[in-house]
Each structure stands twice: as C-alpha cells, then as structure tokens.
Amino acid sequence: MLTTLIYRSQSDEVWTPQALTALTERASQKNNAQTVTGILLFNGQSFFQVLEGQESVIDTLFSVISQDPRHYNVVELMRDYTAVRRFENTGMRLFDLRIHDTGTVTSEIRRIGSFREGVAPEDRMYRFTADFITQGNRYLLPNRFHSSRWAIASREYTFPYSPHVAQQEPPCQFALQPIVDPLAGEVVSFEALIRSPSGGSPETLFSSIPEDQHYTFDLESKAQALMLIDSVKMGVRTLSVNLLPGTLYSVSGAVDYLLTLLRKNNLQPEQLIIEVTEAEVITEVDEFYEVLKKIRVAGIGLAIDDFGSGYSGLSLLTKFQPDRIKIDIALVRDIHKSGAKQAIVMSVIQCCEELKITIIAEGVETLEEWCWLQAAGIRLFQGFLFAHPQLQRDSPGMINWPVKIPFTP
Ligand code: C2E
Ligand code: MN
Ligand code: MN
C-alpha cells in the first residue's frame, strides 16, 4: 500500500550546505532503489521530511531514521495512505531553508508536487510543509528538557502507612502509588489501588466477587483503604481512591459512608479525592450528577480518571468540572514521538488552563515522556518512572526522582 509518512526532528550538528547535499545524495541512491520519494527540509535546527513509498519499505526506513544519532526528538506528524505520490518524478529533493527564501521554496514545492489544482490549501501534507517552512522551530524542545540531561536518583521514602493494621483476614488490600511534582521534589498525593489479599490485580479481585456485589464491595473496600493511612504521616497530602460511577449512584448513602470513614481515620474531607474513570459507561446520568453535587457539598475532591480513553470525557466536562483530570496512559505512552498525541494533550492542557483544572499525567514510564510533558507545562505525574504502586509490606518505600546532570561542555 502506498504510504505517506511525515516527521520532524532536531539536530545540534553543524550541517554545512555541502554536508547536507552529500547526505541527501547518499540517501537518494538508497531511496531510488526502493522507490521512495519525497522532500527533505532543513532550517538550521530542525529537519522535516516527507517519505512516500510502499508501507513496509517506509516502516523500515523510518525506524532506521529514528535511530540515527545525528538528530533527536523525532516526531511522527502524519501517516496516511494515498492513491498517488506527490513527488512521483522528483526523487527525494532537498530544500535548505538557510539558503532559499520561504516564498521560493513554497512555490517550488507546489510546482514539483502533484497537488491537485486549487486543492493544496486543504491538503494535509501541503499544510504540514507550509507550516514547517514558516514556523519550523515552533516545537523545539527546550534544552533543559532534553532527556539526555536528566538521570534518575532512587531515594527511600516513608509511605504514609498506618503502623497497626490489625484485621485478621482482610478481603482486600491497597497499594499506594505517589503522585509527584518532580521539579519541586514533592509528593502531593497518593493513589490507593486495590489488590487481592495475595496481591492480585483489581481485575482478578473483582472477578472473584459476584457481579451483583461489585458496587457494595467497591464502596466498602474503602474502609480498608482509609484504615491503612496514618493521618499524621499524610500531613496535608491527599488520597485518591477509585470508585465506579455505579458505586456512587446505586449504593445509597455512599457519600455519608465515606464521610464517616474519613472522620474515623482523622482525615479531612478535602484530603480525599474520588477518581471516576471516563471509560466507564454511565447509565444513570441524572443520579450520577446528583451524587457529584453531594460529593462537592461534603468537601470531597473529584477527578476524572483516564481522560481521553473513552468517549464521554469532553461531554462530562461540559456538565461538571472536576478539581483534577488524569490524562490516560495511552496518550502518555511515547508522546515524545507522536504528533497526534502531542496535539491532543496540548489541547487538553489549554482546556484545563482555561477551566483552572489541575492535570496529572499518569503511566509515565520514561524520561523522554516526562521531559516532553513537563516542557509542555504539566506539573504533576504518576507512573513507574517515579514509583510503582507499593504495598505496606514493601517498606521502606522508594521513589525515583529525576535529577539534572551537571552540564559539561
Ligand atoms: P487507574 O485508576 O487508572 O490506576 C492506574 C493503573 O495504572 C494502576 O493499575 C497502576 O498500577 C497502573 N500504572 C501506574 N503507573 C503505570 C505506568 O507507568 N505504566 C503502566 N503500564 N501502568 C501504570 P492497577 O493497580 O492494576 O489498577 C487498574 C485499574 O483498576 C485502575 O486504573 C482503576 O481503574 C481500577 N481500580 C483500582 N483500584 C480500584 C478500586 O478500589 N475500585 C475500583 N472500582 N477500581 C479500582
Ligand atoms: Mn485511578
Ligand atoms: Mn487511570
């Protein structure tokens, strides 16, 4: 299948026009042999390339390009399937924007490319290209957020587990995963994640319970979660718990039950945050909003979990605005490589800025992901990069902090 792939990247190397021409010529020989066509643009700091060819050829080529040490921050902007090549007859043309002015380059690309007459302004490939020509450095990653400038330092951390958890055979236990502000070096919250008595996943645990008891079990399990917490060690930090929307609207008195638990464990309502996942289908919409009001009136916090994973997040936002939004793991994964994920997350950041909602990026596993998200303006993070969920028996707890590597010229 004929495929078009567009990427941009950054380079700190000194590319003389001659070196760039030589590079393109060497690449062209290989490209011609594999009938890869396209254009390569360079503006002094950033590359932009359109690759056209058979899907498997393009895939292989792009993975080689991505690993080339002469550039970094390689971001895939577009991958599409097409009936015709735009650069059928011109091989792989190089445009050095340091030498040619933007007007000349734009009209030359329109001339050599088979853009349908009048259609170019709506052609995505053309628009990406025009954008790079006029503002190609818009997305440069700031120097201090290059992942190569950061390392991880593991430090012991006392998780706020209560020293005496007495119950003989608890039906479940909870692992705590910290939510951190890495630049401040602070833990701001913990999320309590349910586990079976033997440490099994939430899925395993819930599947061992009859379906008609899920909601009551979900609610009552929180007695165990709050009992685990030592309010003194907690300080002003908050505790997030997950509740199914159904638990909130179909177990009567759910909010009062939670308030009683908080009082019993010397925690303030403001210290509890209820996470409801966007992915869960909400059947009783009116009842759900009634409970949300009760939660707010009780002083308890609210978060939309897995934002961007389902279909209801945006419409939920139009009806109520939570204190926090947790960006779904799938959007975070490899965000530094995906133009589409970056565009979506940037719009979520802007939306949350307008609505004064705090964003948490969850599921962060690599320094590259963290660097991109931190540079984009996100402050709070949760993920294996910083800490895995830890059970009481795992003490002492550990947290990994990103530390800046001293700059050596
Ligand atoms: P969640 O609320 O979105 O919790 C985050 C999940 O992502 C957790 O999985 C956590 O272990 C995992 N995680 C955290 N950092 C990373 C990372 O860097 N990479 C990857 N791949 N995963 C990461 P867990 O503990 O298995 O929980 C799965 C889901 O089960 C939770 O997703 C939540 O929706 C649900 N759950 C957990 N506890 C409860 C509960 O008490 N009640 C209900 N109804 N659901 C719960
Ligand atoms: Mn959650
Ligand atoms: Mn989540």
Side-chain angles (χ1 to χ4, degrees):
M1 249 185 288
L2 196 54
T3 303
T4 308
L5 188 146
I6 305 180
Y7 73 84
R8 64 172 142 75
S9 65
Q10 279 174 247
S11 181
D12 294 338
E13 301 216 352
V14 181
W15 290 99
T16 62
Q18 295 76 8
L20 209 52
T21 307
L23 168 88
T24 316
E25 274 167 9
R26 272 196 309 279
S28 284
Q29 286 169 6
K30 288 186 212 148
N31 291 341
N32 287 340
Q34 298 191 298
T35 49
V36 172
T37 52
I39 48 175
L40 174 67
L41 279 61
F42 183 65
N43 67 7
Q45 279 177 291
S46 300
F47 283 105
F48 174 97
Q49 190 167 27
V50 174
L51 299 165
E52 303 175 313
Q54 287 305 313
E55 186 171 24
S56 58
V57 174
I58 295 296
D59 279 347
T60 314
L61 179 60
F62 184 54
S63 81
V64 173
I65 290 174
S66 299
Q67 282 154 33
D68 191 324
R70 292 172 295 184
H71 66 169
Y72 59 94
N73 193 17
V74 180
V75 179
E76 181 180 309
L77 297 176
M78 183 182 118
R79 182 188 283 264
D80 199 4
Y81 301 88
T82 171
V84 288
R85 288 172 193 262
R86 300 293 201 286
F87 303 103
E88 178 84 57
N89 305 313
T90 47
M92 179 64 65
R93 276 279 298 271
L94 168 70
F95 293 92
D96 191 333
L97 294 165
R98 297 168 299 176
I99 302 173
H100 307 291
D101 69 86
T102 56
T104 316
V105 173
T106 310
S107 53
E108 179 66 1
I109 287 173
R110 280 179 88 136
R111 192 184 66 75
I112 64 168
S114 54
F115 299 102
R116 271 197 295 142
E117 203 49 50
V119 173
E122 280 183 40
D123 184 300
R124 290 186 66 220
M125 181 211 281
Y126 179 79
R127 291 174 65 185
F128 274 118
T129 309
D131 221 40
F132 181 81
I133 291 171
T134 53
Q135 43 180 345
N137 286 336
R138 189 157 57 125
Y139 298 109
L140 285 181
L141 202 60
N143 275 340
R144 67 196 172 104
F145 289 120
H146 289 184
S147 58
S148 60
R149 302 224 170 153
W150 294 83
I152 284 294
S154 273
R155 300 206 185 105
E156 273 187 18
Y157 187 93
T158 309
F159 280 48
Y161 279 112
S162 143
H164 30 256
V165 178
Q167 211 176 341
Q168 276 303 305
E169 279 175 47
C172 62
Q173 50 179 343
F174 282 83
L176 294 182
Q177 188 177 30
I179 296 169
V180 298
D181 177 341
L183 292 190
E186 276 169 18
V187 175
V188 297
S189 290
F190 291 90
E191 178 169 10
L193 295 155
I194 205 163
R195 295 288 180 265
S196 75
S198 62
S201 71
E203 213 188 345
T204 322
L205 177 61
F206 274 97
S207 65
S208 73
I209 293 161
E211 204 144 327
D212 61 347
Q213 292 168 29
H214 277 191
Y215 292 153
T216 40
F217 178 81
D218 191 20
L219 182 66
E220 286 169 9
S221 70
K222 301 305 160 327
Q224 190 72 23
L226 293 189
M227 202 167 73
L228 276 171
I229 298 300
D230 182 316
S231 63
V232 175
K233 288 187 201 150
M234 226 16 211
V236 295
R237 295 182 188 86
T238 52
L239 182 75
S240 287
V241 298
N242 299 278
L243 285 168
L244 294 165
T247 304
L248 290 169
Y249 59 71
S250 59
V251 185
S252 66
V255 178
D256 290 331
Y257 180 78
L258 292 170
L259 283 172
T260 311
L261 290 180
L262 283 163
R263 233 174 289 124
K264 242 168 76 181
N265 293 285
N266 295 318
L267 291 163
Q268 302 299 316
E270 291 72 22
Q271 286 185 281
L272 185 69
I273 293 174
I274 295 176
E275 297 191 359
V276 283
T277 169
E278 173 192 315
E280 193 72 26
V281 182
I282 296 166
T283 48
E284 317 284 325
V285 177
D286 293 342
E287 284 81 351
F288 181 58
Y289 288 121
E290 280 311 308
V291 182
L292 293 187
K293 286 186 207 163
K294 279 195 195 144
I295 291 172
R296 301 303 298 153
V297 169
I300 294 172
L302 273 167
I304 300 182
D305 203 351
D306 308 327
F307 192 81
S309 68
Y311 45 85
S312 57
L314 290 176
S315 85
L316 267 176
L317 261 194
T318 62
K319 307 226 177 53
F320 87 100
Q321 293 83 41
D323 310 275
R324 291 175 164 186
I325 274 179
K326 297 181 82 171
I327 295 184
D328 189 50
I329 289 184
L331 283 172
V332 165
R333 185 66 57 251
D334 283 336
I335 189 158
H336 56 293
K337 295 181 188 169
S338 161
K341 290 178 186 176
Q342 293 179 2
I344 293 167
V345 169
M346 283 192 296
S347 72
V348 174
I349 292 173
Q350 200 190 340
C351 171
C352 288
E353 180 55 44
E354 300 289 337
L355 295 171
K356 314 303 172 203
I357 296 170
T358 301
I359 300 188
I360 296 168
E362 72 174 349
V364 178
E365 289 184 358
T366 65
L367 274 174
E368 286 86 352
E369 290 164 349
W370 170 68
C371 278
W372 192 89
L373 292 159
Q374 183 83 58
I378 293 179
R379 189 173 61 89
L380 301 180
F381 298 86
Q382 182 179 355
F384 296 167
L385 176 65
F386 307 100
H388 281 256
Q390 292 166 44
L391 291 167
Q392 186 166 28
R393 61 165 186 247
D394 297 330
S395 66
M398 295 299 283
I399 297 183
N400 304 319
W401 298 100
V403 288
K404 196 103 183 276
I405 299 170
F407 183 65
T408 42

